Amino acid sequence: MADDPHSPDWDPRSDEVLSDQIRAYDTMRAQCPVAWSDYQHWTLFRHEDVMRVLEDHQTFSSAASSHLSVPNGMDPPEHTPYRKVIEPYFSQQAMSQFEPACRNIARILVNNLPDRQPFDVVETFSRAFALQIQSTFMGWPDSLHGPLREWVLKNHRATLASDRQAMAEVAHEFDGYIHDLLETRRQAGANAPRDVTTSLMEETVNGRPMSDEELTSLMRNWTVGELGTISSSVSILLSYLAEHPDLRQSLANDTVALPDAIDEILRIDAPLISNRRITTRYVEIDGRPIPTGEKITILWASANRDEKVFGDPDAFCPHKNRDHNLLYGAGVHVCPGAPLARMELRVLMKEFLRAVDTLEPAPGDRPERAVFPTGGFNYLPMVIRKR
């Protein structure tokens, strides 16, 4: 641990860390649970410290960016009316209505997977599912699949490089897609499709319609979260089940256990690595003095493996760990889209397990892990045998 509060305790982008992020985070949690780096600023590795941040939005503000971020980058009371608008889109009724479309997408993708031939799970399956499911949920045309795929990759590269100009250009590119979608609906008037995008355009916040800037920010946040995290989640799930064939067979025989099993696998191996906050006053965490205005990185990928909470972090114990799992966050910013993500993953995995008899790594080909800020895989070669 460094004596100077702004002398780096670690390098999150070193080859050593990026070669095995999860193990590196496990080590940091034990050796330096509150760490400074030039890249992440203050990083919190322990479950209790992350919970402290999540439960005290007055001290640890979500307004960590200079750009509008609806509602992720807002604190109550500003955050509250936006959250009220969003939550009905993820209600039990909304999920029930969307589930048949989700199942249809999942079933077609599973049926189209090659039998007994190597394929890349990420490109062929997980990323395709995320793109199709997001576009269908929002009411976006299939023609956006290709541009959105490229946009996600560019957004990831810009974020990893901390390239502010590139990040601004990527955001502007996405804004253009949304502007076109909004304009198409405005020109259609009463004939506009009755989908989530049109409905959001008709919502009001504090008695007024949302501006295009607010709508674009909201849809960008939904899209980044959906495309990146769902794709990462699917690759993690298939990799884990390939390594644990007994569990895969158990879940194929008892799909009722799927929801808890999915959450637990994604606790062990995080699809979303971190989020940010900023301090509004001087605080001390684990004896480290943190001034006002400092950026905090809450590391889900470490907090969800904290031995003090979960025991052996790699032990598969879904019922024991359920109440402390931070997969979808906690507090006022707990993920509003969690019901959608859970439904999508449950439906996809049920269809996959129904159709697939064996799942194994492709011989002679090595997977490539994704690196911060995303989890999961960039490349995951697998072979399946269908039933």
Side-chain angles (χ1 to χ4, degrees):
M1 182 184 297
D3 294 328
D4 180 346
H6 282 182
S7 177
D9 298 302
W10 72 311
D11 180 2
R13 294 188 289 179
S14 70
D15 291 341
E16 182 182 5
V17 170
L18 295 181
S19 66
D20 194 341
Q21 290 182 129
I22 298 298
R23 299 306 165 193
Y25 299 158
D26 288 348
T27 299
M28 287 298 297
R29 187 170 60 252
Q31 297 180 357
C32 186
V34 180
W36 169 266
S37 68
D38 294 329
Y39 182 57
Q40 289 185 4
H41 295 200
W42 293 102
T43 302
L44 306 184
F45 292 86
R46 295 188 304 198
H47 193 280
E48 66 175 302
D49 294 332
V50 168
M51 284 301 298
R52 175 182 172 184
V53 168
L54 298 178
E55 292 173 346
D56 183 3
H57 59 82
Q58 293 180 332
T59 301
F60 303 98
S61 170
S62 292
S65 171
S66 58
H67 301 288
L68 178 68
S69 180
V70 180
N72 310 39
M74 297 175 167
D75 301 312
E78 182 187 26
H79 167 267
T80 307
Y82 293 96
R83 181 76 184 215
K84 187 176 180 181
V85 164
I86 289 169
E87 287 180 341
Y89 290 89
F90 305 105
S91 66
Q92 184 175 347
Q93 179 182 357
M95 295 304 93
S96 296
Q97 291 173 348
F98 185 56
E99 185 169 331
C102 179
R103 182 175 294 106
N104 185 57
I105 291 170
R107 186 166 293 174
I108 291 172
L109 282 172
V110 170
N111 289 342
N112 287 337
L113 290 177
D115 189 19
R116 309 185 198 204
Q117 297 178 19
F119 68 95
D120 175 16
V121 166
V122 176
E123 186 61 32
T124 305
F125 192 53
S126 66
R127 192 173 289 151
F129 178 70
L131 283 163
Q132 290 183 38
I133 211 76
Q134 172 69 356
S135 295
T136 302
F137 181 72
M138 296 297 295
W140 296 348
D142 292 349
S143 58
L144 263 185
H145 292 176
L148 283 176
R149 176 185 280 107
E150 292 302 312
W151 179 82
V152 169
L153 296 174
K154 285 187 281 188
N155 185 60
H156 173 67
R157 287 193 294 266
T159 303
L160 180 62
S162 287
D163 186 333
R164 293 186 178 277
Q165 181 177 348
M167 292 167 71
E169 290 172 355
V170 169
H172 181 71
E173 179 182 339
F174 184 87
D175 293 357
Y177 299 144
I178 299 303
H179 174 78
D180 290 346
L181 291 166
L182 299 181
E183 277 304 304
T184 298
R185 282 161 172 74
R186 288 190 177 117
Q187 291 176 12
N191 296 320
R194 299 309 308 169
D195 54 29
V196 167
T197 299
T198 301
S199 294
L200 285 170
M201 294 173 67
E202 297 169 351
E203 297 285 0
T204 59
V205 174
N206 298 324
R208 59 164 181 81
M210 280 190 281
S211 67
D212 282 7
E213 183 184 14
E214 289 168 319
L215 287 166
T216 301
S217 174
L218 173 59
M219 293 183 199
R220 187 192 307 122
N221 283 330
W222 280 12
T223 303
V224 171
E226 178 78 3
L227 298 188
T229 309
I230 290 296
S231 179
S232 296
S233 296
V234 174
S235 66
I236 289 167
L237 291 168
L238 293 197
S239 175
Y240 192 91
L241 293 180
E243 293 174 2
H244 300 83
D246 290 346
L247 175 61
R248 180 185 57 76
Q249 189 58 54
S250 173
L251 293 173
N253 295 335
D254 178 21
T255 55
V256 173
L258 263 176
D260 283 339
I262 290 169
D263 279 9
E264 176 69 348
I265 293 168
L266 299 179
R267 176 197 67 77
I268 294 169
D269 191 349
L272 177 65
I273 302 296
S274 69
N275 278 130
R276 292 191 304 163
R277 298 291 190 272
I278 190 166
T279 55
T280 62
R281 64 178 180 86
Y282 171 88
V283 291
E284 289 189 13
I285 304 178
D286 194 43
R288 305 294 299 269
I290 302 177
T292 302
E294 294 279 274
K295 289 182 180 178
I296 303 279
T297 298
I298 49 178
L299 209 61
W300 309 115
S302 174
N304 249 353
R305 294 175 53 83
D306 192 330
E307 295 84 354
K308 291 183 179 179
V309 176
F310 302 105
D312 178 357
D314 290 307
F316 179 81
C317 303
H319 299 295
K320 169 180 168 288
N321 295 330
R322 179 196 298 151
D323 293 342
H324 301 290
N325 191 339
L326 296 176
L327 175 61
Y328 294 104
V332 296
H333 283 284
V334 65
C335 179
L340 176 63
R342 283 191 166 111
M343 184 272 287
E344 291 170 349
L345 294 173
R346 171 181 57 80
V347 167
L348 181 67
M349 294 310 300
K350 186 173 181 179
E351 291 298 318
F352 183 86
L353 293 170
R354 175 191 60 80
V356 172
D357 188 42
T358 63
L359 168 68
E360 297 175 346
D365 210 353
R366 295 177 61 84
E368 177 190 331
R369 293 287 313 210
V371 295
F372 184 91
T374 61
F377 293 82
N378 287 332
Y379 176 62
L380 183 62
M382 288 278 179
V383 178
I384 61 170
R385 189 176 70 205
K386 294 185 178 179
R387 298 185 189 279

